[in-house]
Amino acid sequence: MIAIGADHGGFLLKEEIKKHLDEKGIEYKDFGTYSTDSVDYAKIAYKVCKSVTNGESEKAILCCGTGIGISMAANKVKGIRAACCSDWFSAKYTRLHNDANALCLGGRVVGAGLAIEMVDVFLSTEFEGGRHQRRVDQITAIENGTFEE
Ligand code: RB5
């Protein structure tokens, strides 16, 4: 299951991504928003990310105008590693090297074609582990207040 959500700035992109997930038969849960009416992105980020951290969803896809605000909010949820991406290489490598579990996209930044390519590579790329595991563990230690310099 993929958890998906957007504010008004990312709503139209979210709808395009949902169409693509439907075509590919990928199961998702849409946490809103459901129109272009103004809504606060932090509320959406929280609900979507909780679906990941409580085990209901494997990964999150989040859209706002820039992808930035919703990624900042997502990264405050313990256990979330959210990456705001505008290019395919970053969407791939944030899975390979950072084990990102949330992809954040800007509906006012990227077109649907590129966004869908990024979604596909993000969802199909496995974390490489190895030396990258140590670095991800360091991020987790910072989050937990147990990081040792
Ligand atoms: C909403 O106007 C806009 O600020 C929001 O979608 C996002 O871009 C914030 O980072």
Side-chain angles (χ1 to χ4, degrees), residues 38-89:
S38 184
V39 62
D40 297 335
Y41 54 77
K43 280 185 194 172
I44 303 287
Y46 185 76
K47 284 194 268 184
V48 169
C49 290
K50 279 291 172 186
S51 174
V52 174
T53 57
N54 72 21
E56 179 188 41
S57 300
E58 283 166 47
K59 292 189 183 81
I61 299 171
L62 291 163
C63 308
C64 69
T66 57
I68 296 172
I70 209 156
S71 69
M72 287 181 171
N75 274 316
K76 297 295 179 189
V77 179
K78 196 172 161 65
I80 293 295
R81 289 177 300 281
C84 179
C85 296
S86 305
D87 68 278
W88 186 88
F89 185 89

Side-chain angles (χ1 to χ4, degrees), residues 70-138:
I70 209 156
S71 69
M72 287 181 171
N75 274 316
K76 297 295 179 189
V77 179
K78 196 172 161 65
I80 293 295
R81 289 177 300 281
C84 179
C85 296
S86 305
D87 68 278
W88 186 88
F89 185 89
S90 299
K92 180 180 172 83
Y93 274 80
T94 199
R95 286 290 310 130
L96 286 172
H97 288 187
N98 316 128
D99 199 16
N101 52 11
L103 174 67
C104 302
L105 302 166
R108 297 170 184 157
V109 180
V110 295
L114 173 58
I116 284 164
E117 293 281 321
M118 289 194 280
V119 165
D120 281 347
V121 75
F122 183 82
L123 295 183
S124 64
T125 303
E126 294 298 324
F127 178 49
E128 240 175 43
R131 68 188 187 282
H132 303 294
Q133 184 62 60
R134 182 178 69 247
R135 294 160 185 167
V136 170
D137 289 345
Q138 289 168 355

